[in-house]
Amino acid sequence: MTTEHQDQELLSLCFTACTGRPPTSVTALRQHASERRIYRVQDASTSLVGVVNSNRGENDAFVNFARYFSSVGLAVPTIHHYDAPRNVYLEQDLGDTTLFDFLQAERARTGEMFPAAAESYYQSALDSLLRFQIECAPGFNFSWCYPETDLLPGTFAGDCAAFGTELVTRLLPEFDISSLTRDFAALIEFLEAADKQFFVYRDFQSRNIMLVGGKPFFIDFQRGRRGPLQYDVVSLLYQSSTKIPADSRRKLVARYCSQAATYHSLNEESFYRFYSGFIVCRMLQVLGVYGRQGLSAGKRYFADSIPTALETLSGELHSSDLPVELPQLRVCVRRLLETLSTSGVV
């Protein structure tokens, strides 16, 4: 029996337990970087999304997070059924339209790089992000976080290591990744001085924002943890595949800071002091994922995103806004870009 067939049988049992009726269809949905197996489970009157994931810690985190966020009025999928021992849950079906899909469709329709309708959704998403980050943090149980409670220093140290092993060693096998150790340590030390008592969504990007009835809903927050405000803002505005114009990014982050002041006594000077460093932080994280999923697993979307992310990283490493020197990382990124331009590896 194939894995998919086993999943279908398990999800059919869960759907029946949840609704009192067997489903008429169990259809696999596309997944991106996740190891979770995701399905749409339906009968004539009900459609749910079923998730099968052998990582119990990640499942517990997602379900606990979702129930808490829902209890305080955030737009997240309702959990309808959770069979923890069998590593499966059923959640609200939010449809198929992500913010990424909407942005691409509006670009095609209007010919504009960042159409007004898309910008409005980005503003709404950042408004909701503040609720996740600041409003929810005091009552949030950070012991639910998996596999770590805090973004810094441990999570980011792992991201730096993954950048080296998953991307650099695949594109530059002769490069001594140990030479990056001092730069990574300096960057982590600098970023640890940022205010970091907030909830960090961790992967707050347009493919994890669903549009339902003209309202954004939020998914894939199971790797959330405690950390700084800047990281999630960067994750949304610097997503490689969206290519949001620089002036639009500046406008959105300025509005975000203005809105944040209604929740928290935000020190804008401090926020911006660390902002460029978190762009570097996020680019290192996603490039590690792109290396693993794009170069090792052969997923084209991730491989195609590598050059843009490297260009963004290079730009920040040479920016006057970055208050920490990272000379070896500069050398590494320059050589990666040279390799991509001459070899056509990606």
Side-chain angles (χ1 to χ4, degrees), residues 200-261:
V200 178
Y201 195 106
R202 178 66 169 156
D203 198 18
F204 193 76
Q205 46 99 351
S206 66
R207 292 181 184 273
N208 289 337
I209 300 172
M210 310 299 298
L211 301 184
V212 184
K215 178 182 177 182
F217 276 70
F218 304 90
I219 61 172
D220 284 8
F221 39 72
Q222 61 275 356
R223 293 282 173 152
R225 57 207 65 190
R226 182 166 41 218
L229 295 173
Q230 294 92 332
Y231 189 88
D232 287 333
V233 180
V234 166
S235 298
L236 181 66
L237 300 185
Y238 285 81
Q239 183 182 354
S240 298
S241 54
T242 58
K243 297 181 173 63
I244 298 174
D247 59 341
S248 297
R249 286 173 178 161
R250 286 190 290 269
K251 179 180 175 182
L252 285 166
V253 73
R255 183 184 182 278
Y256 167 88
C257 288
S258 175
Q259 294 295 108

Side-chain angles (χ1 to χ4, degrees), residues 19-40:
T19 67
R21 308 177 303 274
T24 55
S25 66
V26 181
T27 308
L29 299 178
R30 182 183 176 189
Q31 58 208 65
H32 292 282
S34 175
E35 298 302 318
R36 293 166 297 155
R37 301 187 297 280
I38 304 172
Y39 299 83
R40 177 164 283 127

Side-chain angles (χ1 to χ4, degrees), residues 96-118 121-122 206 211 241-242:
D96 297 309
T97 303
T98 67
L99 178 54
F100 179 83
D101 297 329
F102 182 83
L103 173 62
Q104 298 301 91
E106 281 296 287
R107 280 177 172 164
R109 185 182 70 83
T110 66
E112 299 172 352
M113 195 60 186
F114 199 50
Y121 275 127
Y122 270 80
S206 66
L211 301 184
S241 54
T242 58

Side-chain angles (χ1 to χ4, degrees), residues 30-34 167 205 207 286-287 289-295 297-307 309 346:
R30 182 183 176 189
Q31 58 208 65
H32 292 282
S34 175
L167 185 82
Q205 46 99 351
R207 292 181 184 273
V286 298
L287 282 164
V289 174
Y290 295 167
R292 182 176 67 254
Q293 297 290 337
L295 302 180
K299 297 179 181 178
R300 194 72 241 167
Y301 161 76
F302 295 99
D304 289 344
S305 297
I306 290 173
V346 178

Side-chain angles (χ1 to χ4, degrees), residues 31-197:
Q31 58 208 65
H32 292 282
S34 175
E35 298 302 318
R36 293 166 297 155
R37 301 187 297 280
I38 304 172
Y39 299 83
R40 177 164 283 127
V41 191
Q42 299 174 294
D43 69 3
S45 59
T46 303
S47 181
L48 298 174
V49 168
V51 179
V52 183
N53 179 17
S54 60
N55 189 328
R56 170 68 183 272
E58 189 173 88
N59 294 338
D60 287 346
F62 179 80
V63 170
N64 285 326
F65 289 9
R67 286 171 173 167
Y68 174 72
F69 292 144
S70 182
S71 75
V72 297
L74 283 164
V76 300
T78 301
I79 303 299
H80 289 276
H81 181 87
Y82 181 33
D83 188 333
R86 291 200 255 189
N87 293 314
V88 60
Y89 54 89
L90 296 173
E91 64 183 31
Q92 180 183 1
D93 187 350
L94 299 174
D96 297 309
T97 303
T98 67
L99 178 54
F100 179 83
D101 297 329
F102 182 83
L103 173 62
Q104 298 301 91
E106 281 296 287
R107 280 177 172 164
R109 185 182 70 83
T110 66
E112 299 172 352
M113 195 60 186
F114 199 50
E119 181 178 359
S120 178
Y121 275 127
Y122 270 80
Q123 290 176 354
S124 295
L126 288 169
D127 289 346
S128 294
L129 174 61
L130 284 166
R131 294 200 60 206
F132 280 101
Q133 293 179 313
I134 301 175
E135 186 178 327
C136 291
F140 187 82
N141 184 349
F142 284 97
S143 69
W144 292 332
C145 296
Y146 176 87
E148 295 176 301
T149 303
D150 295 277
L151 181 68
L152 290 159
T155 302
F156 183 40
D159 292 342
C160 291
F163 169 79
T165 58
E166 301 288 355
L167 185 82
V168 180
T169 57
R170 289 193 167 97
L171 292 178
L172 294 176
E174 76 287 357
F175 189 86
D176 179 11
I177 61 173
S178 67
S179 68
L180 299 173
T181 302
R182 183 174 294 180
D183 282 8
F184 289 154
L187 182 59
I188 292 170
E189 182 180 9
F190 168 67
L191 293 178
E192 278 197 282
D195 195 1
K196 51 183 183 295
Q197 78 273 24

